[in-house]
Amino acid sequence: MRQVLFIFLFFCTTFVNGQSFQNYKDTVNHFSINVPTGWRYGIPKNQPTIKFVAYRIPSSPTDTVRDNFNLNIIETPKMNLNDTYLKILKSIGEAKNFKILDNGKAQINGRKFKWLIESHQNGINRIQMHNYVFVTYQNDKTYILTMVTFSKNFETIKPTFTQIANSLKLTE
């Protein structure tokens, strides 16, 4: 009986506190990243700089949350992390109701990143969105990991987004 109780408690703890992940490895673009189990992912064909995209599959017809993330890799010769970060800030700052909520620096798998959390109004459906963006620079390329959700859901999904960001490894 004790073993059955232990197994039950283990699974309950994992279900409540954790999200399981599977690792995706791209040998062409030299990166790997963890994707939450059950999310759909792939490589968009019509956006050449986006090398990977993943999104949570709705749990029911009334589930309208569209948690997702993508990895952009852009050729940026003769730049550095600060230059590319400022360029990104300028481009995303044009969104309607744009506001930087937080920002900082991080060390992920031995690599320096700059990150920011911003909110803006979606131009199509006017819903307030949150982006959690991580930027790094390597070998004349800028890597931009962007994780997106509705603003009202951000605090709930933020731990999962943080786990995704912490799993990103550049293998080049």
Side-chain angles (χ1 to χ4, degrees):
M1 182 64 174
R2 185 179 291 177
Q3 290 173 334
V4 172
L5 183 59
F6 174 76
I7 291 169
F8 175 74
L9 290 174
F10 173 78
F11 283 111
C12 286
T13 303
T14 301
F15 179 74
V16 171
N17 294 328
Q19 164 75 54
S20 62
F21 292 87
Q22 57 191 36
N23 187 262
Y24 174 84
K25 187 173 185 176
D26 184 322
T27 57
V28 173
N29 294 295
H30 310 287
F31 71 89
S32 68
I33 194 163
N34 287 347
V35 180
T37 302
W39 285 32
R40 188 165 285 149
Y41 59 90
I43 303 167
K45 293 183 181 359
N46 58 347
Q47 298 170 319
T49 64
I50 298 179
K51 303 302 181 186
F52 184 77
V53 64
Y55 60 93
R56 187 178 66 77
I57 298 170
S59 59
S60 70
T62 58
D63 181 1
T64 61
V65 175
R66 298 294 187 258
D67 305 328
N68 68 82
F69 70 93
N70 66 67
L71 182 64
N72 244 302
I73 303 175
I74 303 169
E75 296 285 336
T76 50
K78 300 180 183 174
M79 293 187 83
N80 59 44
L81 178 56
N82 290 331
D83 293 341
T84 59
Y85 182 77
L86 292 173
K87 191 174 181 178
I88 291 164
L89 276 179
K90 183 178 179 184
S91 70
I92 63 175
E94 298 170 3
K96 191 169 186 168
N97 294 333
F98 174 82
K99 185 194 301 188
I100 295 178
L101 304 173
D102 200 2
N103 62 37
K105 297 176 183 178
Q107 189 88 3
I108 299 173
N109 295 310
R111 175 153 313 285
K112 291 180 183 179
F113 281 79
K114 288 193 171 201
W115 61 268
L116 67 98
I117 298 171
E118 62 92 353
S119 68
H120 67 278
Q121 189 177 76
N122 182 301
I124 297 169
N125 56 20
R126 297 189 175 128
I127 293 174
Q128 199 66 21
M129 307 294 290
H130 265 55
N131 282 356
Y132 197 5
V133 182
F134 286 78
V135 180
T136 194
Y137 184 83
Q138 175 178 287
N139 299 335
D140 291 334
K141 294 178 185 172
T142 299
Y143 295 78
I144 308 163
L145 175 62
T146 305
M147 298 169 283
V148 184
T149 192
F150 297 147
S151 291
K152 66 181 181 173
N153 300 323
F154 182 72
E155 288 306 318
T156 303
I157 194 71
K158 184 180 177 188
T160 299
F161 282 170
T162 300
Q163 287 181 287
I164 292 165
N166 286 328
S167 76
L168 179 61
K169 292 181 184 172
L170 304 183
T171 57
E172 187 170 38

